Every structure is written in C-alpha cells, then in structure tokens.
Amino acid sequence: TQSRSSAASDVYKRQYQQCSQFGWMQTAPIDDRTSMRSKLVNLDFYRRVCKLAYGEGIWPNIEEFNYQFGATRLEVTKLILTNGDEDPWKWAGVRSSRSKGIYAYEIVCDDCAHCVDLSTPKETEDKRLTQTRVRIAYRLWLSLIHISEPTRQAEISYAVFCLKKKK
C-alpha cells in the first residue's frame, strides 16, 4: 500500500500536469440539475487552484503541448490505449483506433472506470473486461507500450509500461 505522504505527492504531481500541460479540467455540465458537481467548479475555479498551488502564470498551453507530443497524429507503432466506459477522463483519450499500429479499446462494462484494465484480473469481473484483456494479450507479440495515466512532471508525461515478448 501507498503511504499517505506518497499519495499526496502523487496528487500534487498529477495536479501540476493538469495545470501546466493537459488542461483537462472536470467542470460541471451546463445543465447542472442532474450533476453532482457544483456549477462553481468551472475554469475560473481551476485557474485559482492552479495559481494557489503553483504560482502566477501556470496554465496549460494545449496547442504547444499537442504540438510537442503529436496530438492526434502520433508517430508511433505498437501502441495500446485503453479507456474504461465509466472513466471521466476517457473524453481526453483516444477511444477508437485511427492508425495502423495504434490500438484503442474502450472497455464498456459496469464498474469499468479509470485504469480498470491495470487491476488484477478476477474470476468475478465483467466478461467484457476479460475479453478486452484477451484482445490486448493477443497483441503482446508486439513490443508493447501501454499509456494509461499521466503521473509526473518530467519531459515524458505518461506512465509507460513496456512489455516485450520473451524469446
């Protein structure tokens, strides 16, 4: 298990990326009658949070970030991207395969939230999650890079899990 200070540090790093690079802020919907989020949780709210946490001038330049990392024109091969159906971050990710060598999976099932595919498989899990894991495992003959979650403020801004087929 993770210590409380380590978890707080991870949240701070992730929030820094959100404030300085990604900019994917979870705001309340326009029609907030059915939302659990207050209409006060808007971009002005996040600007204040970022300023208080990291100082003046910290706000993402999305165009620059997308240019630097390829946006929707990634020049990679052998890439698997996953999103759980109930993951609020899925809208910021790639949900369908657009290029040869890039495989996107949206895992549609109950309780399929953020990073669900990275959890330990269980016999009781939804059959659709198991099927997606099988499709992903089928592609393991590739040298595989799996990007699922932003984790740090380094130049490479993703958790990268490299799995190579054993010879």
Side-chain angles (χ1 to χ4, degrees):
T1 62
Q2 195 173 30
S3 73
R4 188 174 282 178
S5 63
S6 175
S9 175
D10 288 349
V11 168
Y12 187 81
K13 292 172 188 175
R14 180 173 166 218
Q15 185 68 45
Y16 180 82
Q17 281 191 309
Q18 193 173 358
C19 288
S20 66
Q21 298 173 333
F22 300 137
W24 185 254
M25 313 297 183
Q26 293 184 23
T27 58
I30 294 170
D31 180 5
D32 67 347
R33 291 176 291 174
T34 60
S35 176
M36 291 174 47
R37 242 184 216 122
S38 166
K39 64 183 175 184
L40 299 175
V41 179
N42 56 29
L43 289 180
D44 289 335
F45 167 82
Y46 283 107
R47 280 189 185 92
R48 288 190 305 275
V49 167
C50 293
K51 181 180 176 182
L52 285 170
Y54 308 105
E56 194 70 48
I58 296 291
W59 192 248
N61 181 336
I62 304 303
E63 292 79 21
E64 180 182 317
F65 185 80
N66 283 338
Y67 176 78
Q68 184 178 4
F69 290 98
T72 59
R73 294 175 301 283
L74 297 173
E75 295 182 18
V76 297
T77 59
K78 305 174 185 174
L79 177 67
I80 290 180
L81 302 153
T82 61
N83 289 285
D85 180 53
E86 296 177 6
D87 184 355
W89 297 101
K90 74 178 180 181
W91 305 108
V94 176
R95 295 185 320 279
S96 62
S97 300
R98 298 182 186 155
S99 305
K100 185 177 181 179
I102 299 177
Y103 308 95
Y105 298 96
E106 184 172 356
I107 307 166
V108 180
C109 64
D110 290 337
D111 298 324
C112 283
H114 190 62
C115 294
V116 67
D117 56 307
L118 300 179
S119 62
T120 302
K122 300 178 186 98
E123 287 186 31
T124 58
E125 72 186 14
D126 192 292
K127 184 169 61 170
R128 292 166 290 189
L129 173 56
T130 303
Q131 290 168 344
T132 302
R133 283 191 170 125
V134 168
R135 286 195 298 270
I136 291 169
Y138 174 75
R139 299 207 179 274
L140 287 181
W141 60 272
L142 305 170
S143 295
L144 170 68
I145 298 177
H146 179 125
I147 299 177
S148 185
E149 178 177 3
T151 58
R152 63 184 189 280
Q153 54 180 315
E155 191 171 311
I156 296 176
S157 301
Y158 293 95
V160 179
F161 304 90
C162 297
L163 306 171
K164 295 195 181 236
K165 182 180 176 186
K166 291 183 179 182
K167 293 181 179 185

